[in-house]
Amino acid sequence: MKNYPTAILQFEQAATGVISGELLLKGVTGEVRFLPKVQKKGNQVIVLGDATIDRTKYGIKYNSSSYFQDLGNYAIKNDFDIAFELVYVVVE
């Protein structure tokens, strides 16, 4: 964590109900796609999203059964979930 204290999720495109972007994690960039859920509350537009990320695509191989044999109960799943909420305030 000391060498890579920050991850960056950058949204790039919204088309046909799918938002895509890039996740920068541990110095490696990979594509992320998700189906957004959009809510309106007064002058706010709220976009909710979640995605499943394969940590090994970002060079995080610690205790991955894809790379190490005979880990048994010490194996850690390769996938993890991220969830986020973006709030846009509409100013008139």
Side-chain angles (χ1 to χ4, degrees), residues 3-81:
N3 292 332
Y4 303 99
T6 305
I8 299 172
L9 179 58
Q10 180 175 325
F11 303 109
E12 296 180 344
Q13 184 177 8
T16 62
V18 176
I19 294 179
S20 62
E22 292 185 337
L23 174 64
L24 174 66
L25 185 63
K26 199 178 172 193
V28 179
T29 301
E31 185 180 43
V32 175
R33 292 175 176 260
F34 67 94
L35 299 172
K37 298 171 190 86
V38 180
Q39 302 173 351
K40 292 183 180 179
K41 285 186 180 178
N43 68 337
Q44 295 181 339
V45 177
I46 302 166
V47 180
L48 304 168
D50 56 65
T52 300
I53 307 298
D54 180 350
R55 66 185 176 96
T56 62
K57 292 183 179 180
Y58 296 88
I60 304 170
K61 299 175 184 176
Y62 180 81
N63 280 14
S64 169
S65 59
S66 298
Y67 292 90
F68 303 100
Q69 303 300 317
D70 302 323
L71 290 173
N73 290 337
Y74 296 103
I76 299 173
K77 291 172 44 177
N78 291 339
D79 293 340
F80 67 92
D81 298 322

